Amino acid sequence: MTVTKGESAREGADDKGDMTGGAGVSGDGYTPSERRLARERYTRTRARRATAVAALSTLVTAAVLYLVVVNAPGWPRTKETFFSAHYAREALPKVLEGLWLNVCLLLVCGAAVLVLGMLIAVARTLRGPVFFPLRVLAAAYTDFFRGLPLIINLMIVVLGVPALRLQGVTVDPVLLGGTALTLTYSAYVAEVFRAGIESVHPSQRAAARSLGLTNRQALRYVVLPQAVRRQVPPLLNDLVSLQKDTGLVSIGGAVDAVRAADIIVGRSLNYTPYIVAGLVFVALTIPMTRFTDWVTARTDRRRAQGGTL
């Protein structure tokens, strides 16, 4: 529906007349014009039509995919190997029991990653020649662990540290795996924090200094609060990735959700427990992902409106 300039002007005049005491105003308040009511009916009609088309398209796509899969020559064997109801029922309690370890690793490692990442980011942004060695070490840390694949880092820490036979050093695969996860993700989170710190305009620090705050106080009370608020969406994305990667600690023998599924697979030679473990991780990740999307959209709206981030 195309609206000409003259129609738009007349419509605005109608709405204005309605709001300022024209014929469309009742004794109790504002009454929308017929043109506005027609426009709202048209908008609702289009929304219902779009919803119906989307639902129909989704159903057709799902039906086509289902027919393609179930009519494949190897579907009976694949169904028996990967989608066995018997092994799914057997694996689910064990996988959920092992999932508790993944959740604990997420909570502990997530907190450690945030603290260590913040310290590294602050070290990289310190000013003055006296802090040059600290900046170099922080930069070397982030470059090394961001470039080192996580699986290799886990193997080095989980398998290499016990081989050293150091006195007083734990050989628990859960603790060593959590350490490897913290080392890797701290490098990524440190860069997120550093980007947030550098996004704060220098005038903020200068204003804080003009009010009598020291450099440390300006960083703590002025710069860091703004930097953290701006970087909440990417930080949540990193935590979502950390939640999935906690399953990699199973390479050291820790019995988490993935290892519990692997034990059943090794005994039964049926891969359904892997599907169960994957679906459990997906179910755990989706709420975090949707929350991240909501925070990102909220931040974008506030930025577009010129509000405080």
Side-chain angles (χ1 to χ4, degrees), residues 33-219:
S33 65
E34 288 297 329
R35 186 182 297 274
R36 180 165 185 173
L37 291 174
R39 184 173 68 244
E40 291 177 350
R41 285 194 298 269
Y42 175 76
T43 302
R44 289 194 297 269
T45 302
R46 289 198 61 181
R48 288 194 295 267
R49 185 183 305 158
T51 302
V53 171
L56 180 61
S57 175
T58 302
L59 289 175
V60 171
T61 303
V64 170
L65 291 176
Y66 174 78
L67 293 175
V68 169
V69 171
V70 299
N71 290 322
W75 169 245
R77 180 61 177 170
T78 302
K79 180 181 178 181
E80 179 184 352
T81 305
F82 289 91
F83 302 100
S84 171
H86 169 72
Y87 288 109
R89 288 191 297 268
E90 179 184 350
L92 184 59
K94 299 295 184 181
V95 169
L96 291 178
E97 182 180 348
L99 185 67
W100 176 243
L101 176 59
N102 297 104
V103 174
C104 292
L105 280 172
L106 172 63
L107 296 177
V108 176
C109 294
V113 163
L114 292 176
V115 173
L116 183 56
M118 175 64 76
L119 293 176
I120 296 170
V122 171
R124 291 201 64 180
T125 57
L126 290 176
R127 300 178 179 180
V130 69
F131 296 113
F132 176 76
L134 195 59
R135 291 197 298 269
V136 170
L137 289 175
Y141 178 93
T142 55
D143 291 343
F144 179 79
F145 283 105
R146 289 177 70 198
L148 183 68
L150 175 58
I151 188 68
I152 295 180
N153 185 19
L154 280 162
M155 290 181 178
I156 292 174
V157 175
V158 175
L159 304 178
V161 171
L164 296 175
R165 299 181 181 180
L166 298 174
Q167 294 295 327
V169 177
T170 182
V171 295
D172 187 347
V174 175
L175 295 178
L176 294 176
T179 301
L181 290 172
T182 301
L183 291 174
T184 295
Y185 273 91
S186 294
Y188 289 100
V189 170
E191 288 300 284
V192 173
F193 278 132
R194 186 171 71 92
I197 292 173
E198 293 181 349
S199 70
V200 178
H201 198 274
S203 62
Q204 297 289 315
R205 192 188 296 264
R209 296 285 289 133
S210 69
L211 293 175
L213 274 67
T214 64
N215 281 324
R216 180 180 300 177
Q217 291 173 330
L219 180 65

Side-chain angles (χ1 to χ4, degrees), residues 8-33:
S8 177
R10 287 195 299 271
E11 181 181 337
D14 291 342
D15 291 344
K16 184 177 180 181
D18 290 341
M19 291 184 289
T20 56
V25 178
S26 64
D28 295 333
Y30 166 68
T31 300
S33 65

